[in-house]
Amino acid sequence: MLLLRWPILIHDDELLISMLAAFLKFVETHQLVQVGKPVLLAVSGGVDSVVMTHLFYEAGFSFGIAHANFQLRGEESERDARFVEDLARKYKVPFFIQAFETADYAKQHGCSIQVAARELRYTWLEEIRRQQGFIAIATAHHRNDQAETMLINFCRGTGIAGLHGIRYRQQHVIRPMLFATRQEIESYARSHELAFVTDSSNLEDHYLRNALRHRILPALQEIFPGLVNTLSENAERFGEVEMLYQEALERHRRRLLHAKGEEWWIPVQALLLSKPLRTLVFELFKPFGFGEPQIPDIIQLLKTQPGKQIFSTTHRVIRDRKWLIIAPLQASQISFQLIENPGIHKVVVPGLKLEIKQLPIEKAVCSDQPYIACLDADEVHFPLMLRRWKQGDYFYPLGLGKKKKLSRFFVDQKLSLLEKERVWVVEDADHKIIWVVGLRIDDRCRITDKTRSVLRLEARMEQPFEKH
């Protein structure tokens, strides 16, 4: 990857030439644009996309402009739309705009506003690309975005795929600005007096990426001044490492996975002798719905007697005498659902839908209804497991102040045998039951005057428990 830096205070013509040369070199190196083939630019009106548009124009590339209006910021959203339309008129290029009911989409699909906006945007852009004959969609992600993505992935926990951050090409989406930092882009815009708009939501720190951008990354840069460029260069190397990793992994898949109808059979002894065992088990079983917390259990299954099994939300692994058999589940066999992080906003299991939200304490709307649980988010550790209860389970019922087995708790609640069979619990990463769904939360996770953030869980059950 070309690494080209230029000073902030520089003559206009020099800055144009330096930035443009770096842009053209990056595009050529990664074969992102073909001469004469139009590219659809995703333009928000912010400084990043405005500079990208200017560089496409100066380079003589053919392009059109598309703007997604998510209607989340009132008049500010309308201002942005008008600005981008004027920008397209200035460059005399095709312009496409679409207004979205983003909040309604997020509610209907049980996802965050950020996820909703991303899904709506990319789906619409791809439709325009196909219909209008654009060769690619260009977004204005830059090196700071790359650094933020890598740090978020690393802190949340990731494998090699998460460490390469944002790719410069993903199918028909290209990121031709990954050669430049935010500082360089803003300097270019000032030098050439490029007008742009500012999204006020980018200034709010309650979004994870904004908090990282405004507080964490600047603090790290004081210690490591070249951090953004270093992380970007690392991303390039990790991307190449992943290519080798996937080639090796494919050889293991061909050696160990044997298809038999809808089932996959894995020879126990061959897998046990494979190294690195934990990584292989994770990669082999991940496509079947098994997550990181279950890897030790699957490895233990290799060493146990035949007949035992482990469930994911879609499959089960059965220990046969010489084989591990991966088989799809019928709906009635699903016994748990993994909730890996607070970004998952809805899960569905037989007879139950669970909605999850994490909110600041001042925005949380709680209730004493048994099907709503409001918990101190700092006392809950992800990943969570929504699972059926089992004998031996215990928790600390709210208000009781001491441990109680669920079997005894159900007697106190006068649950029938059929009601007991329908009970689900939410367990956190410390194997602590934080909620007996529809009945009682755990006292250790209750809201207190020290609570800063609330994890709100709401259950919708096909057959609610009867009041006794």
Side-chain angles (χ1 to χ4, degrees):
M1 177 186 293
L2 176 70
L3 185 59
L4 181 63
R5 298 183 178 89
W6 52 90
I8 295 176
L9 298 176
I10 193 168
H11 190 273
D12 285 2
D13 292 339
E14 288 184 45
L15 184 57
L16 172 60
I17 294 169
S18 298
M19 188 80 154
L20 184 59
F23 171 74
L24 289 170
K25 182 65 174 178
F26 185 82
V27 166
E28 180 184 1
T29 299
H30 298 293
Q31 299 180 341
L32 300 181
V33 180
Q34 298 178 30
V35 176
K37 301 288 187 179
V39 176
L40 182 64
L41 308 189
V43 179
S44 66
V47 63
D48 309 329
S49 58
V50 166
V51 168
M52 177 179 70
T53 304
H54 190 262
L55 288 171
F56 264 79
Y57 178 78
E58 293 294 337
F61 293 145
S62 175
F63 66 94
I65 289 177
H67 177 76
N69 182 353
F70 298 113
Q71 302 190 99
L72 296 171
R73 293 174 287 117
E75 171 55 28
E76 191 175 285
S77 293
E78 301 307 316
R79 176 209 66 185
D80 294 356
R82 292 192 297 271
F83 173 84
V84 178
E85 184 174 9
D86 289 343
L87 193 69
R89 190 176 296 114
K90 168 187 172 182
Y91 289 117
K92 298 182 174 60
V93 296
F95 176 64
F96 308 91
I97 187 169
Q98 179 67 49
F100 294 103
E101 300 294 339
T102 313
D104 290 344
Y105 180 93
K107 186 176 181 180
Q108 292 169 7
H109 292 79
C111 61
S112 68
I113 290 292
Q114 293 88 343
V115 170
R118 185 163 57 248
E119 290 179 357
L120 289 167
R121 180 193 192 202
Y122 280 109
T123 300
W124 174 64
L125 289 172
E126 176 59 18
E127 288 176 359
I128 298 297
R129 187 197 69 79
R130 289 199 313 267
Q131 292 170 4
Q132 302 295 324
F134 290 99
I135 193 171
I137 299 162
T139 67
H141 292 92
H142 47 71
R143 285 195 161 197
N144 289 70
D145 295 320
Q146 179 75 285
E148 292 159 9
T149 299
M150 291 180 70
L151 286 173
I152 289 171
N153 291 346
F154 184 81
C155 292
R156 281 178 170 170
T158 186
I160 191 70
L163 292 178
H164 62 55
I166 305 170
R167 292 187 179 277
Y168 51 79
R169 177 188 290 278
Q170 284 180 294
Q171 296 180 325
H172 294 294
V173 178
I174 61 174
R175 279 95 182 197
M177 299 299 291
L178 281 177
F179 70 95
T181 66
R182 179 179 290 115
Q183 184 182 28
E184 292 164 344
I185 290 170
E186 291 175 350
S187 176
Y188 181 89
R190 285 195 303 271
S191 178
H192 294 279
E193 299 181 348
L194 298 180
F196 56 88
V197 293
T198 300
D199 182 343
S200 60
S201 67
N202 288 336
L203 306 177
E204 300 172 1
D205 279 2
H206 62 262
Y207 293 118
L208 172 61
R209 186 175 288 272
N210 288 353
L212 188 70
R213 178 178 302 162
H214 298 151
R215 301 203 304 264
I216 307 302
L217 202 55
L220 287 172
Q221 286 177 295
E222 288 183 9
I223 304 171
F224 306 104
L227 180 66
V228 169
N229 284 318
T230 299
L231 288 176
S232 186
E233 291 158 12
N234 285 344
E236 185 83 3
R237 286 191 285 270
F238 288 139
E240 294 177 357
V241 169
E242 193 198 6
M243 292 172 64
L244 297 175
Y245 178 85
Q246 291 296 338
E247 287 179 8
L249 186 58
E250 186 57 33
R251 290 196 294 271
H252 284 292
R253 288 194 180 105
R254 289 196 297 266
R255 179 174 64 89
L256 294 169
L257 286 171
H258 302 266
K260 296 189 177 183
E262 293 186 343
E263 299 173 354
W264 292 91
W265 290 44
I266 300 175
V268 169
Q269 196 60 30
L271 182 54
L272 269 173
L273 293 174
S274 300
K275 294 181 180 180
L277 180 59
R278 184 182 180 88
T279 298
L280 269 175
V281 169
F282 174 74
E283 294 290 359
L284 290 174
F285 287 84
K286 180 173 64 173
F288 303 103
F290 294 92
E292 178 68 30
Q294 295 168 279
I295 301 309
D297 296 331
I298 295 174
I299 292 174
Q300 187 60 36
L301 199 64
L302 293 167
K303 306 170 185 176
T304 58
Q305 296 296 316
K308 295 198 173 183
Q309 54 187 324
I310 297 172
F311 293 83
S312 79
T313 56
T314 58
H315 290 76
R316 58 176 173 158
V317 182
I318 309 158
R319 171 62 200 269
D320 193 35
R321 283 179 295 179
K322 296 182 180 180
W323 301 85
L324 287 186
I325 302 172
I326 305 172
L329 283 179
Q330 301 298 322
S332 61
Q333 293 176 297
I334 297 175
S335 61
F336 79 91
Q337 175 71 277
L338 192 66
I339 306 168
E340 294 190 355
N341 58 66
I344 298 172
H345 292 272
K346 183 181 289 185
V347 294
V348 180
V349 292
L352 172 67
K353 294 180 180 179
L354 186 67
E355 296 181 358
I356 306 114
K357 293 181 181 178
Q358 187 162 326
L359 304 163
I361 182 67
E362 61 272 11
K363 294 187 178 181
V365 179
C366 295
S367 166
D368 59 357
Q369 294 294 320
Y371 299 102
I372 296 176
C374 286
L375 310 170
D376 188 327
D378 290 333
E379 298 299 323
V380 177
H381 302 120
F382 283 81
L384 305 183
M385 185 83 76
L386 174 64
R387 63 170 176 82
R388 295 190 185 275
W389 83 282
K390 60 180 184 291
Q391 287 293 337
D393 278 344
Y394 68 90
F395 77 133
Y396 289 75
L398 178 66
L400 188 62
K402 63 179 181 179
K403 179 170 69 176
K404 175 167 277 194
K405 285 193 173 182
L406 289 193
S407 55
R408 183 62 199 173
F409 177 73
F410 296 158
V411 172
D412 295 344
Q413 296 295 306
K414 298 183 174 60
L415 296 189
S416 69
L417 181 61
L418 290 177
E419 285 177 322
K420 291 178 186 177
E421 291 178 354
R422 298 201 305 271
V423 172
W424 293 80
V425 299
V426 180
E427 181 184 272
D428 78 354
D430 298 327
H431 304 292
K432 173 177 65 183
I433 291 177
I434 60 175
W435 188 27
V436 182
V437 178
L439 293 171
R440 193 81 59 87
I441 68 168
D442 189 283
D443 193 76
R444 295 167 291 180
C445 303
R446 71 185 187 280
I447 302 293
T448 69
D449 56 1
K450 296 181 180 179
T451 299
R452 299 174 302 171
S453 180
V454 173
L455 184 69
R456 187 180 187 276
L457 309 176
E458 181 172 355
R460 302 181 187 278
M461 305 180 72
E462 290 181 2
Q463 293 180 278
F465 299 119
E466 294 184 9
K467 294 183 179 181
H468 298 283

